[in-house]
Amino acid sequence: MAAGTVVSRATGLIRQVLQAAALGTGLLASTYNTANTVPTGLYTLLIGGALNAVLVPQLVRARATQADGGRAYEQRLVTLVLCVLAVGTALAVWAAPQIVGLYMRDTPQSHEAFELTVVFARFLLPQIFFYGMFGMLGQVLNAREKFGAMMWTPVLNNIVLIGMFGAYLTLLTTPDRVEDITASQVRLLGLGTTVGIALQALALIPYVREAGFRFRPRFDWRGSGLRRSARAARWTLLFVLANQVALTVVTNYANAADQQLPKAGAGYTAYSYAQTIWLLPQSIVTVSLVTALLPRLSKAAAQGRTDDLRGELSRALRLTGVVIVPAGFFFLALGPQTAALLFGHGAADAAATRPLGQMLQAFGLGLIPFSAQYLLLRGFYAFEDTRTPFWMAAWIGSVNIALAAACHQLLPARWAVVGMAAAYTLSYAVGLLLTARLLRRRLDGRMDGKRLARTYGKLTLAAAPAGALAWLVARACADPSGATGTATTALALTAGAAALILGYVLLARLLRVGELRLRLR
């Protein structure tokens, strides 16, 4: 799973670098990126949150308790999900202008950008159906403890998008303003992006057939046990809604910064690129581990083995922390160099990537509470408790919205979105404290807290000096004249990263971090 995720994220990174070279990091890029955010958000709101958090425990339970191994339940569930997705996709395409209006303001000064975003959205909104199909078939595989295909098939999507952006760069004249993009360029970007997601979803069909799943449409939903899934999904829907409200507010504010400074690279596209890079360690390490862990947590909760559930969560937190903690300090120390090396090409020059690098630094240490909170929520989902995660999302979203609004109102446009990245970090620090407190009550008042605090304390003591060393080394390798060429940036980033890794490993060994020694063996 981790190998598939690494290849998927690596090809995704190549795709994103080409995307930045083609579209830049300013207002033009934000029209495409905002439109591409809409189908993801709506899919998650329609069914995605329930698929990821609720339905694996339900499918595992059905396979263990029903006479046919849960086959009829699966067929009914897949039929229901596909019907909801088809209707939701059609309505979304019809209401594209109203939906885009939630994410971007339509003013006389920015009307062309708004209209272009709507056009992109009409091409991209059919992705909702294919995202849902991919998610549903993936959960069918996960319930059978077959995880590899769902990790590898996104590579196909990335290959399509790499080819699309490569064609955009080589075959067409790349514009740098909203007014200059042509209809053929819009069609290439819109159709190519949707085709990639469709191919990713369709590629799972052979794997679910091999795993023994045969799809037959079944509409006999009444009295089939789906009501229990719907009740569980109700709170998950509210959880997703809370997250989407926060995302919509931040996207709106970030797009406002882009509209004020259309070429500064200080708005939504920079924020989304920084967040994507920041999430890479989480995606490779934490998500892979949680995908494998959730069926085991569900079984332990169903069988009343609270000690085993607590132990699995503690072990997962400690193992992921070995990578997540130094990764957070890496972004804090080397965010500007990372942004310049990855995105300072083509339509985006070094100056345009500077805000992006500062956003990476602001996100930085937030990776630690974000990853830990993500893991702890799976403890509630294992108990089929979806209500508590909703309240956690509501608290986190409220803090994030309040801080983001303060940044929007009080900071100049150049720094407002950097502040919003820091607000995201603070909101998840608050969320982690609340989540840990509530889960401790659910686990009979014990969370292995002393062991976790000792491990994370050691990891921080190892990573913080290593991060400071990386910052100093990167500065020493920079060109004294202030030049920011690719070779100079690559040297500074490589030397800084090497210093961080070496310093971290040596200090962690001196501090006797057991989890690191196990990995090194």
Side-chain angles (χ1 to χ4, degrees):
M1 281 198 309
T5 304
V6 168
V7 174
S8 174
R9 298 297 172 178
T11 53
L13 182 59
I14 295 170
R15 181 259 300 170
Q16 195 162 49
V17 169
L18 286 174
Q19 180 178 336
L23 300 177
T25 59
L27 181 58
L28 174 61
S30 291
T31 61
Y32 171 82
N33 286 320
T34 300
N36 208 20
T37 297
V38 173
T40 308
L42 290 179
Y43 150 70
T44 307
L45 188 60
L46 277 173
I47 204 74
L51 285 178
N52 293 332
V54 176
L55 297 184
V56 167
Q58 299 286 344
L59 290 172
V60 169
R61 186 181 298 274
R63 286 176 59 79
T65 60
Q66 295 182 7
D68 65 348
R71 183 174 304 171
Y73 180 85
E74 282 181 330
Q75 291 171 349
R76 293 186 186 100
L77 187 58
V78 172
T79 303
L80 176 61
V81 167
L82 293 180
C83 288
V84 170
L85 289 169
V87 173
T89 301
L91 291 174
V93 172
W94 173 71
Q98 290 75 23
I99 295 171
V100 169
L102 298 174
Y103 293 85
M104 178 179 283
R105 300 170 192 179
D106 183 11
T107 66
Q109 294 77 20
S110 62
H111 182 69
E112 287 190 58
F114 178 84
E115 287 297 316
L116 178 58
T117 307
V118 172
V119 174
F120 273 130
R122 292 199 189 277
F123 280 110
L124 300 177
L125 281 167
Q127 293 177 28
I128 295 171
F129 181 84
F130 295 108
Y131 274 126
M133 180 180 178
F134 175 78
M136 185 67 250
L137 296 181
Q139 299 306 341
V140 169
L141 289 170
N142 288 347
R144 289 167 165 77
E145 298 191 6
K146 295 183 181 296
F147 308 108
M150 198 175 183
M151 301 299 177
W152 280 96
T153 47
V155 175
L156 295 173
N157 172 48
N158 290 330
I159 290 172
V160 170
L161 294 183
I162 288 170
M164 180 191 76
F165 285 114
Y168 184 94
L169 282 166
T170 58
L171 301 178
L172 302 168
T173 302
T174 56
D176 61 357
R177 299 189 311 160
V178 169
E179 298 84 350
D180 297 334
I181 195 167
T182 66
S184 60
Q185 290 171 325
V186 172
R187 285 195 297 270
L188 173 64
L189 294 171
L191 292 174
T193 306
T194 297
V195 166
I197 296 298
L199 182 61
Q200 171 184 297
L202 296 173
L204 281 185
I205 293 177
Y207 292 99
V208 295
R209 289 182 62 84
E210 183 182 353
F213 175 74
R214 296 293 183 271
F215 176 59
R216 295 178 181 176
R218 297 193 62 154
F219 299 93
D220 53 334
W221 302 329
R222 186 181 297 274
S224 62
L226 289 176
R227 184 180 297 274
R228 180 178 182 179
S229 297
R231 284 198 300 268
R234 176 185 58 192
W235 287 104
T236 303
L237 176 63
L238 292 173
F239 170 88
V240 171
L241 181 61
N243 284 328
Q244 287 300 313
V245 168
L247 173 63
T248 301
V249 171
V250 171
T251 302
N252 193 297
Y253 289 154
N255 276 321
D258 267 326
Q259 289 165 350
Q260 291 184 53
L261 303 171
K263 293 187 178 182
Y268 177 66
T269 289
Y271 183 92
S272 63
Y273 286 174
Q275 192 173 55
T276 300
I277 299 302
W278 175 72
L279 284 172
L280 280 175
Q282 159 83 0
S283 303
I284 294 170
V285 178
T286 309
V287 174
S288 297
L289 183 61
V290 165
T291 302
L293 187 64
L294 186 56
R296 293 162 59 182
L297 292 177
S298 301
K299 289 178 183 178
Q303 296 169 7
R305 294 184 284 111
T306 304
D307 288 342
D308 289 344
L309 193 152
R310 183 190 302 109
E312 291 284 2
L313 282 174
S314 173
R315 180 170 177 268
L317 282 166
R318 288 181 283 112
L319 288 178
T320 56
V322 170
V323 176
I324 295 298
V325 172
F329 281 95
F330 171 89
F331 292 127
L332 179 63
L334 303 173
Q337 293 86 351
T338 303
L341 183 63
L342 292 177
F343 301 113
H345 313 282
D349 57 19
T353 64
R354 195 168 295 119
L356 198 161
Q358 291 160 345
M359 291 175 203
L360 262 178
Q361 291 180 302
F363 276 123
L365 297 183
L367 189 64
I368 301 168
F370 181 87
S371 176
Q373 203 259 355
Y374 180 90
L375 267 168
L376 292 182
L377 284 183
R378 271 60 202 167
F380 294 108
Y381 292 138
F383 286 110
E384 299 186 21
D385 175 6
T386 53
R387 181 175 179 175
T388 304
F390 158 69
W391 289 112
M392 294 302 95
W395 275 106
I396 293 171
S398 298
V399 173
N400 193 19
I401 288 171
L403 293 176
C407 293
H408 174 68
Q409 294 292 334
L410 301 177
L411 296 178
R414 166 61 180 82
W415 291 99
V417 185
V418 176
M420 292 178 204
Y424 194 87
T425 289
L426 290 174
S427 65
Y428 271 92
V430 173
L432 175 62
L433 294 175
L434 293 172
T435 302
R437 182 178 180 182
L438 292 176
L439 185 59
R440 181 181 178 184
R441 295 178 185 174
R442 192 68 187 261
L443 296 175
D444 301 330
R446 290 185 294 125
M447 264 281 293
D448 203 13
K450 290 183 179 179
R451 190 177 185 184
L452 287 170
R454 183 168 60 249
T455 298
Y456 272 79
K458 290 181 178 180
L459 293 175
T460 302
L461 287 175
L469 177 63
W471 182 79
L472 291 171
V473 169
R475 282 182 62 87
C477 292
D479 192 315
S481 66
T484 55
T486 300
T488 302
T489 304
L491 174 63
L493 181 59
T494 302
L500 189 148
I501 294 169
L502 181 62
Y504 170 70
V505 170
L506 290 175
L507 287 171
R509 288 176 70 91
L510 287 174
L511 292 168
R512 299 181 180 179
V513 178
E515 290 75 14
L516 181 66
R517 289 202 302 273
L518 287 173
R519 283 180 174 272
L520 292 175
R521 291 174 187 170

